[in-house]
Amino acid sequence: PLVSIRTVAGIKARVSMLRAIAPARTDLRQLRPDVVFSTGGYSAGPVMAAARSLKIPLALHAVDSVPGRALRMHIHHAARLTAGFRSTSGHLARMGISANPERTGHPIRTVLREAVAERVPEADLLLIVGGSQGSAFLNELAIAVAPMWGGRIRLATGPTHFNAIAARAPANVEVHPFLNPGQMAEAYRTAGVALARSGGTVAEFAMARLPAVLVPLPQSADQHQACNADEFVSIGAADRLNQTDATP
């Protein structure tokens, strides 16, 4: 969830970020980069601020349809602004930010692009992923739908949830703590449909032409996951399921 800068937690975060600018500036002086590229995020804020103070050009890329706060703070100082979603400029305009990002799509790992070049989907193979740390909600949903699913389910639980879910998983659920690049490539090559959150992974679904049911994280900052999902729904690439409507 997005922490308000008017709360105690927000003030502490702001102070931590300000303190981090000086060491970031020191590192950039040593590295002497020609440009600083950033996709935003909490840890990127001090680096972007340090780059600006040293007059190092910024190249910013909006991974989600709604750019995060750290990215928005530096948009007007960017030498280049790119985005993967069509709706990004409209979301920025609604926030009072006038910017026209160049739509480039997202960089995708070569191993994944090569895998889907020879895609052989299995209609009854369901891929369920909940991001790098997994999703407790999607894990429980996988357990609930497994008896009704006629085929196999490949589930990435996240490392924290793996043991508990693996102990309860029915026989047709193949459980992994996470999928390494090779396993993810194989999943994209063979899955018939995906069930997932709607963060940055949706770019890989698009690349693989993998139909998806997207369940946006309700607490995502600025509801960016819902906006990501809505754009995919609008082009017929996915269906959206609200978490409140899919309680196991």
Side-chain angles (χ1 to χ4, degrees), residues 9 27 40 54 57-58 64 69 73 88 99 114 128 135 139 149 158 169 175-177 181 185 190 193-194 218-219 225:
D27 289 343
L54 296 173
L58 288 173
D64 294 299
R69 179 187 288 163
M73 290 174 61
T88 298
E114 291 177 344
I128 302 180
S135 163
N139 291 340
W149 184 255
V175 184
H176 302 267
T190 57
V193 64
Q219 300 88 0
Q225 286 208 7

Side-chain angles (χ1 to χ4, degrees), residues 168-182:
R168 299 167 49 213
N172 64 329
V173 180
E174 175 189 316
V175 184
H176 302 267
F178 61 89
L179 298 176
N180 64 36

Side-chain angles (χ1 to χ4, degrees), residues 115-245:
V116 301
E118 300 179 359
R119 185 162 144 71
V120 186
E122 301 174 20
D124 62 351
L125 177 55
L126 171 62
L127 172 65
I128 302 180
V129 290
S132 61
Q133 299 304 310
S135 163
F137 176 81
L138 292 183
N139 291 340
E140 291 299 329
L141 191 60
I143 297 296
V145 303
M148 298 175 282
W149 184 255
R152 294 186 295 131
I153 296 175
R154 184 168 293 156
L155 170 65
T157 63
T160 303
H161 310 289
F162 173 72
N163 289 333
I165 295 298
R168 299 167 49 213
N172 64 329
V173 180
E174 175 189 316
V175 184
H176 302 267
F178 61 89
L179 298 176
N180 64 36
Q183 291 171 323
M184 186 62 81
E186 176 64 13
Y188 286 155
R189 191 181 72 83
T190 57
V193 64
L195 173 66
R197 294 299 193 188
S198 46
T201 309
V202 296
E204 297 177 356
F205 296 162
M207 175 272 305
R209 293 177 170 82
L210 176 60
V213 177
L214 302 176
V215 186
L217 179 68
Q219 300 88 0
S220 63
D222 301 305
Q223 289 297 300
H224 69 265
Q225 286 208 7
C227 294
N228 291 352
D230 287 345
E231 182 159 329
F232 268 60
V233 171
S234 72
I235 60 175
D239 289 326
R240 173 179 167 179
L241 184 65
N242 294 327
Q243 183 164 312
T244 53
D245 300 326

Side-chain angles (χ1 to χ4, degrees), residues 41-132:
Y42 176 80
S43 62
V47 180
M48 289 188 283
R52 282 177 51 188
S53 71
L54 296 173
K55 302 189 184 307
I56 300 172
L58 288 173
L60 307 183
H61 179 68
V63 173
D64 294 299
S65 56
V66 184
R69 179 187 288 163
L71 213 63
R72 297 198 304 265
M73 290 174 61
H74 300 279
I75 278 179
H76 289 309
H77 303 277
R80 178 64 65 88
L81 176 63
T82 60
F85 286 85
R86 294 188 179 96
S87 57
T88 298
S89 57
H91 290 303
L92 288 172
R94 282 189 284 276
M95 294 176 171
I97 300 173
S98 177
N100 188 27
E102 178 182 358
R103 187 164 178 261
T104 59
H106 300 304
I108 302 290
R109 289 172 290 182
T110 300
V111 64
L112 300 183
R113 289 188 282 107
E114 291 177 344
V116 301
E118 300 179 359
R119 185 162 144 71
V120 186
E122 301 174 20
D124 62 351
L125 177 55
L126 171 62
L127 172 65
I128 302 180
V129 290
S132 61

